Amino acid sequence: PTPTPTPTPPSSSSGLPKHAVTGYWQDFCNGAAVQKLSDVNSQYDLIAVAFANSTSTPGAVDFSLDPCLNYSDAQFKSDIKAAQAAGKKVIISVGGQNGTISVSDSASATNFANSVFTLMQNYGFDGVDIDLENGLNPTYMSQALHALSAKAGPGLIITMAPQTIDMLSPSSDYFATALNIKDILTVVNTQFYNSGSMNGCDGNVYSEGSVDFLTALACTQLQGGLDPSQVGIGVPASSSAAGSGYVSPTVVNNALDCLTQGTGCGSFKPPRTWPTLRGAMTWSTNWDASAGNSFANDVGTHVHALP
């Protein structure tokens, strides 16, 4: 008999493992450990370089290393190649708390796609992370990312790191964008922090900093149309890394087990399990290093051991 073909998950060409760990690497100095890419813990599969900056051209972005890092362009590019040779992916993150990139019409969508592709060619980035905390336009951001995909080809990695409030309903701008680009989207690692209490997928209110918050809010995305391989849990690496919402690695691991296997849950029990859940993200590799790499060592090891 002919074996039934296994359905291919949307992000199968990304080159990432089934369960992956994402870490943001800081291109600025703020009291966290200053790192070169070569210093990033080996548990991270996907390193998001934070951040690209807006330019005077609407929608366009550029990138330059902060002088505080004492890091040359040549060494940075060499370290990207070395990370990739070790099986890692390195992408450029657009936005952040201070990012004011606006993609609100076809012209700015084209500028965005062209400028990100230029950065990919110049530095060797594998793709882009969308971390626009001041809002986005689903129509034109989706257009920009599809245009980028057409330029970069099937290996392009596209990730998103929306704030919790941006992923409560498939009709919200961020969630709508993720669904619009489901055919090319790698993973959405929602920031389950700095948010206060939120409604979970069962309609109940959960307070951040708990296993229930992580599972009940991830459930909304898992039920809302994203492939489980496109959903990850984003948490701070330490209490210094965010204003609120830090949870210990044990809590993150319990949430991962709850969502993938139905064990380790709190009071919220998901209606089903999602064994192909992508994994976890942290802000940032620098804050993690300052805290003894507890996220990489505990959560990273756990993610990679998920069946």
Side-chain angles (χ1 to χ4, degrees), residues 160-199:
M160 303 171 81
Q163 298 173 101
T164 310
I165 198 166
D166 295 325
M167 292 298 287
L168 296 180
S169 157
S171 61
S172 66
D173 288 350
Y174 240 109
F175 207 150
T177 304
L179 293 171
N180 285 349
I181 63 161
K182 187 177 171 179
D183 57 318
I184 53 171
L185 173 67
T186 308
V187 64
V188 177
N189 290 304
T190 300
Q191 302 176 39
F192 291 123
Y193 49 96
N194 290 344
S195 65
S197 300
M198 293 278 165
N199 286 81

Side-chain angles (χ1 to χ4, degrees), residues 4 19 33 46 52 60 97 108 180 272:
T4 311
H19 299 296
L46 182 56
Q97 191 176 314
S108 55
N180 285 349
R272 49 163 293 201

Side-chain angles (χ1 to χ4, degrees), residues 34 76 82 92 118 168 178 192 205 209 231-232 249-250 290:
V34 175
F76 179 65
I92 182 67
T118 297
L168 296 180
F192 291 123
V205 176
V231 177
T250 305
S290 295

Side-chain angles (χ1 to χ4, degrees), residues 18-120:
K18 177 182 173 186
H19 299 296
V21 182
T22 302
Y24 283 82
W25 174 85
Q26 297 178 192
D27 173 47
F28 51 88
C29 302
N30 66 344
V34 175
Q35 292 185 312
K36 293 186 164 53
L37 287 181
S38 52
D39 300 324
V40 173
N41 188 286
S42 63
Q43 290 290 337
Y44 290 102
D45 303 293
L46 182 56
I47 302 166
V49 171
F51 292 101
N53 306 300
S54 56
T55 73
S56 55
T57 304
V61 296
D62 64 8
F63 176 75
S64 58
L65 289 162
D66 192 307
C68 76
L69 303 179
N70 194 23
Y71 200 1
S72 71
D73 253 25
Q75 186 62 53
F76 179 65
K77 291 175 184 177
S78 169
D79 287 347
I80 290 175
K81 282 201 172 76
Q84 291 163 336
K88 314 300 179 191
K89 302 292 178 180
V90 184
I91 60 177
I92 182 67
S93 181
V94 174
Q97 191 176 314
N98 304 320
T100 52
I101 294 130
S102 176
V103 176
S104 53
D105 54 30
S106 286
S108 55
T110 300
N111 293 339
F112 181 87
N114 289 345
S115 62
V116 171
F117 188 61
T118 297
L119 290 179
M120 288 175 63

